[in-house]
């Protein structure tokens, strides 16, 4: 997996927004259906940061990423 910054781009409230993902999460996200509804849980990695990192992604009841344990 290539180094550098990776983003999951989504549309919310009519605006496009990119949220950060880890390079090792890129391949798991390839199974998402473009244009479909997804549920995302994200949080900043540092308190007060405006950069949000994805730690959970679901689509149609299928868990694509679940990195909750990495937050501890």
């Amino acid at each position: 997996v290539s180094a550098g910054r990776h983003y999951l781009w989504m549309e919310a409230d009519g605006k496009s927004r990119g949220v950060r993902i880890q390079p090792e999460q890129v391949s798991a996200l390839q199974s998402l259906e473009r244009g479909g509804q997804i549920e995302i849980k994200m949080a900043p990695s540092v308190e007060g940061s405006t950069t949000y990192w994805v730690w959970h992604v679901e689509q149609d009841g299928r868990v694509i990423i679940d990195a909750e344990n990495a937050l501890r």
Side-chain angles (χ1 to χ4, degrees), residues 26-55:
V26 172
S27 61
L29 294 172
Q30 298 298 321
S31 67
L32 287 174
E33 290 182 35
R34 184 178 293 272
Q37 294 285 332
I38 59 174
E39 179 182 322
I40 296 176
K41 295 179 184 176
M42 57 190 166
S45 60
V46 178
E47 189 175 334
S49 174
T50 58
T51 302
Y52 281 72
W53 291 83
V54 172
W55 62 270

Side-chain angles (χ1 to χ4, degrees), residues 1-2 7 18 25-26 29 31 43 48 50-51 56-58 66 69:
V1 177
S2 63
Y7 296 87
Q25 295 171 327
V26 172
L29 294 172
S31 67
T50 58
T51 302
H56 187 92
V57 178
E58 283 186 39
D66 185 9
N69 291 335

